[in-house]
Amino acid sequence: MNRTSRPLPDYELYGEPEGSGFPDTLHIEHLSVRSGPRRWRIARHRHPSLHQLFWIERGGGALIGEEGETTLAASSFLNMPAGVAHGFRFLPGSTGTVLTLPVAVFEPIRARIDPQGELLGVRIGRARTAPPELEALLAEQQGSRANRGEALAALATLTFVWALRLLAAEPQAGPEAGAGSAAVRLAARFQALVDAHYREWHALAPYAAALAVTTPHLTRACRQALGRPASAVLRERQMLEARRLLAYTQGSVADVAYRLGFADPGHFSRVFTAAAGLSPRAFRKEFTYDAA
């Protein structure tokens, strides 16, 4: 009998299908929220568009990674880049916190504080106490004060600075630093370029040239690290901005198309409809209705 391995599921947050959208600047929750109801076992999966930091306060368990299992002790943290397959087997009653950032939010932070790319690989570190910003992040996420998004991003930045300093003081190779790390790093650099140039670079060739790789190599790396080709990453970023412009600005559909670098508004409408399942006008109307 021939057996084929089941593909790993791609999620936004665990259990929520990739593509369902990420509604906030970041997300933070206690470890027990998703692990407890699942008997402290999380099957292997990937988050193609999300970067996570796990703080294990008490208990612990095992990380089920691409190269086998690695022990997670109490008073430790785990840096998990987007696109890396992982699962967990926690000790019942373990406590901790999970911080999740969309790559579009995380990558500008990382580029400023981590030009060497330490956070682009799986890293495990030890600390006596949790970073103080975690409690502030929990409180800020649950509130609605002015400049909430900026506050969340600033607190997340401080949290990753905390992790980098501890990793620098006690460097570790990390359980996944070998296999797949080159693809993860290239995909992250590509996503950063996409964020900077998606309005004017609509083909993959200029991205590949800027990254000093061939277009097929870039596509393979994105498939390996993110579970989808480079062209899909670029189109998703364009359509994310299209949805934002349609929802939050008053410009015409043609104005939105031109702002995104589409010379033909009709072509933009066809692309958007294929991606969103609604025409730009129908999307705007539905969003306005839902908001009301």
Side-chain angles (χ1 to χ4, degrees), residues 152-205:
L152 288 170
L155 290 167
T157 301
L158 290 172
T159 302
F160 283 105
V161 167
W162 169 87
L164 281 168
R165 287 174 174 174
L166 289 170
L167 291 170
E170 189 178 350
Q172 299 184 31
E176 317 276 347
S181 63
V184 170
R185 290 171 185 266
L186 178 58
R189 291 168 59 207
F190 170 62
Q191 288 179 306
L193 276 179
V194 167
D195 281 337
H197 297 289
Y198 66 88
R199 293 179 180 86
E200 65 267 23
W201 295 357
H202 285 209
L204 292 181

Side-chain angles (χ1 to χ4, degrees), residues 119-179:
L119 296 174
L120 294 177
V122 176
R123 298 290 185 267
I124 296 175
R126 300 297 301 273
R128 292 182 179 180
T129 60
E133 291 77 21
L134 289 186
E135 287 300 321
L137 278 164
L138 282 163
E140 193 69 46
Q141 180 185 251
Q142 295 166 6
S144 57
R145 292 184 294 177
N147 299 313
R148 175 179 173 278
E150 289 76 8
L152 288 170
L155 290 167
T157 301
L158 290 172
T159 302
F160 283 105
V161 167
W162 169 87
L164 281 168
R165 287 174 174 174
L166 289 170
L167 291 170
E170 189 178 350
Q172 299 184 31
E176 317 276 347

